[in-house]
Amino acid sequence: MTHNGAAHACASPVSALDDIDLTRWSRDADFVFSGKVIDVSYRRSEPQTSGADGLQHTVVTYEIERVFKGSSDQARVSLRFFGGPTSRTRFVQNE
C-alpha cells in the first residue's frame, strides 16, 4: 500500500486524500514524500501521573520512494500517530 506523509504527520491512503488541502499542507510541511508502509507497531506512552494509563500510539514506518519537498539521508521514516488497539477497547483514535 502506498501512502503520502508530511511533517504534519499526515499519512493517508492516496484514495483518502480528496478531502485534504494538499496545497496548504505541502506549503506548511518541511518534508513531503511518498512511500510504502513496511511496518506498523503499537506502543503505550509512559503515564504522566501515578496510577494513570499511558496513551496508546501507532508507529508506522515507511520506505521512502520519492521526496517531493525537503531532504532525507535515510531510506525510511517512522511516524507516530495517537491511537491504536488497547486491551480494554477495540481501538482508540484521535478524530
Side-chain angles (χ1 to χ4, degrees):
M1 185 181 312
T2 299
H3 284 61
N4 291 327
H8 290 291
C10 165
S12 301
V14 173
S15 61
L17 293 176
D18 295 341
D19 296 333
I20 297 174
D21 183 350
L22 288 179
T23 303
R24 180 179 59 83
W25 281 59
S26 297
R27 181 184 63 238
D28 294 344
D30 296 319
F31 183 62
V32 179
F33 70 98
S34 67
K36 185 185 322 182
V37 173
I38 58 172
D39 187 56
V40 177
S41 62
Y42 304 102
R43 300 182 185 151
R44 185 173 294 283
S45 65
E46 292 294 321
Q48 298 298 311
T49 59
S50 178
D53 288 335
L55 298 174
Q56 188 69 19
H57 291 88
T58 300
V59 178
V60 181
T61 301
Y62 300 87
E63 181 178 313
I64 298 171
E65 294 177 337
R66 183 172 175 197
V67 175
F68 296 99
K69 182 178 178 183
S71 63
S72 175
D73 57 354
Q74 303 294 315
R76 297 176 177 175
V77 63
S78 294
L79 301 177
R80 184 178 75 166
F81 301 92
F82 175 76
T86 67
S87 61
R88 287 184 273 169
T89 61
R90 290 193 64 174
F91 200 85
V92 176
Q93 69 181 32
N94 185 17
E95 294 191 27

